[in-house]
Amino acid sequence: MEALHALGAARTRGWHGVPADARWARLGGQLVVPATERRPPFWVWNAALNQLYMSTYHLAPDLTPHYLDALDRYGIRFLSGYTSSLHALATAALQLGRTDLRMLVAFTNAEPVGDHQRAAISAAFGCAVRETYGMTESVAWASECEAGRLHQWPEVGIVEVLDGELICTGLLNSDMPLIRYRTGDRGRLAPPGSTCTCGRGLPLLEAVEGRTSDVVVTRDGRQVFWLNPVWYGIPVREAQIVQESIGRLRVRYAPAPGFVAATARTVVDRLRQRLGEVEVVLEEVPEVPRSANGKLRAVVCNVPPAERDAALVRP
């Protein structure tokens, strides 16, 4: 969607003084090489966008130094990516004492930003950290200004709040016209008449709450957020991946016509390509259970905190 990309450039890069030709890195959920590969590169250069696309599937503690070296080698000037992925990079940079990676700004997406994450990313890359909010359906979008407030992009859609849930009507996405769409995200609008010290008149989102999709933690200390590609082309009505322990996943799925034994093997293979050797238990269900707010959580991590923390600090 050209219009959305244009808005994105104006209200992220433009607001923060990023030159149009600045090289940038995107940490995203596309698999560049199999997860079993232990030698870089784990990224690909997109010359048309001046973008270094870095797969998040290899952000293990022993591999993050390679990512940091790539940021330096490609002359990257700003970052964009999942909050947890940027935080993992920042943690590695701080632990290694890297002071050579100075960025203009870092944009987070897909996950809320905790204060500790914001502080670490800012310290590691010497820049401001700005949160963005949006979704695939493109019925709402928002970005953080230099004053730290989330401004809505009213061209994308109209945002209402009903019983704490964001209800949105899309205005920009003609391929998916949605009216008063229940996003499943919880949030609050700023009180009527609220203004921002940045001087912009765009409406404000006071907060976006409860939008965290759980991150799967692997044996070698990686945090994997984006697992949607596992389901590309797979005939299911809905599905959910539950991490029960570091080495065990339960996959709940409601099959659609065409789901056969070979389909199940494909799901298992795709998970292992991304997560390494892991036990996968397939559980066929008529419907995937919803969370308390009625939203289907695509990924749920039930790993005890002690086991999770042990994996994340493993050398």
Side-chain angles (χ1 to χ4, degrees):
M1 295 181 57
E2 294 86 351
L4 184 59
H5 288 301
L7 283 170
R11 291 184 180 152
T12 54
R13 304 183 196 190
W15 284 6
H16 302 289
V18 178
D21 61 350
R23 292 186 165 208
W24 61 294
R26 163 71 177 160
L27 280 83
Q30 297 298 323
L31 196 64
V32 173
V33 295
T36 53
E37 179 60 57
R38 306 297 295 173
R39 293 182 301 175
F42 310 120
W43 45 80
V44 63
W45 176 249
N46 183 339
L49 292 178
N50 270 343
Q51 178 201 73
L52 184 65
Y53 187 92
M54 311 183 92
S55 171
T56 59
Y57 287 105
H58 288 81
L59 279 174
D62 62 323
L63 297 179
T64 45
H66 296 299
Y67 284 78
L68 299 174
D69 290 342
L71 294 179
D72 178 48
R73 186 164 61 252
Y74 282 87
I76 299 304
R77 300 297 293 123
F78 74 96
L79 303 170
S80 175
Y82 305 143
T83 302
S84 58
S85 301
L86 291 174
H87 183 249
L89 269 189
T91 300
L94 292 172
Q95 290 175 342
L96 293 169
R98 295 285 297 261
T99 60
D100 57 321
L101 300 171
R102 305 289 91 180
M103 301 293 163
L104 297 171
V105 66
F107 299 111
T108 68
N109 54 61
E111 303 167 316
V113 186
D115 290 342
H116 69 291
Q117 295 169 314
R118 188 186 294 270
I121 297 167
S122 179
F125 301 114
C127 66
V129 179
R130 300 303 178 199
E131 184 176 5
T132 63
Y133 171 72
M135 70 280 292
T136 303
E137 299 91 336
S138 297
V139 293
W141 220 270
S143 57
E144 189 178 358
C145 71
E146 61 272 23
R149 304 292 301 276
L150 271 174
H151 291 263
Q152 298 178 47
W153 300 2
E155 301 92 340
V156 177
I158 300 169
V159 181
E160 306 170 81
V161 176
L162 180 63
D163 296 329
E165 183 178 3
L166 299 182
I167 309 296
C168 302
T169 298
L171 300 176
L172 191 65
N173 188 359
S174 58
D175 294 328
M176 187 181 289
L178 298 172
I179 300 174
R180 306 205 75 211
Y181 174 69
R182 297 186 60 179
T183 65
D185 295 339
R186 301 189 65 81
R188 290 178 284 116
L189 299 177
S194 296
T195 59
C196 181
T197 57
C198 75
R200 298 181 179 90
L202 295 170
L204 294 164
L205 267 177
E206 192 67 38
V208 177
E209 304 160 343
R211 194 173 183 266
T212 302
S213 293
D214 282 337
V215 174
V216 172
V217 179
T218 65
R219 292 182 189 276
D220 59 356
R222 290 178 291 121
Q223 299 180 77
V224 180
F225 169 72
W226 185 253
L227 287 170
N228 283 18
V230 169
W231 302 109
Y232 289 172
I234 298 294
V236 294
R237 290 184 288 106
E238 54 190 37
Q240 181 183 68
I241 298 168
V242 181
Q243 185 173 27
E244 297 178 336
S245 69
I246 293 296
R248 179 184 172 97
L249 299 176
R250 180 173 299 276
V251 178
R252 299 186 178 117
Y253 68 96
F259 193 101
V260 296
T263 312
R265 290 194 293 271
T266 297
V267 171
V268 173
D269 289 343
R270 288 181 178 180
L271 284 168
R272 288 176 176 161
Q273 286 173 4
R274 289 161 170 79
L275 304 173
E277 281 303 313
V278 62
E279 179 185 1
V280 180
V281 178
L282 297 177
E283 179 184 349
E284 183 176 334
V285 295
E287 182 178 335
V288 173
R290 264 51 176 179
S291 61
N293 67 357
K295 188 172 182 178
L296 192 160
R297 293 171 62 192
V299 177
V300 178
C301 181
N302 290 332
V303 178
E307 184 180 357
R308 182 186 181 94
D309 291 345
L312 291 177
V313 301
R314 184 170 296 146

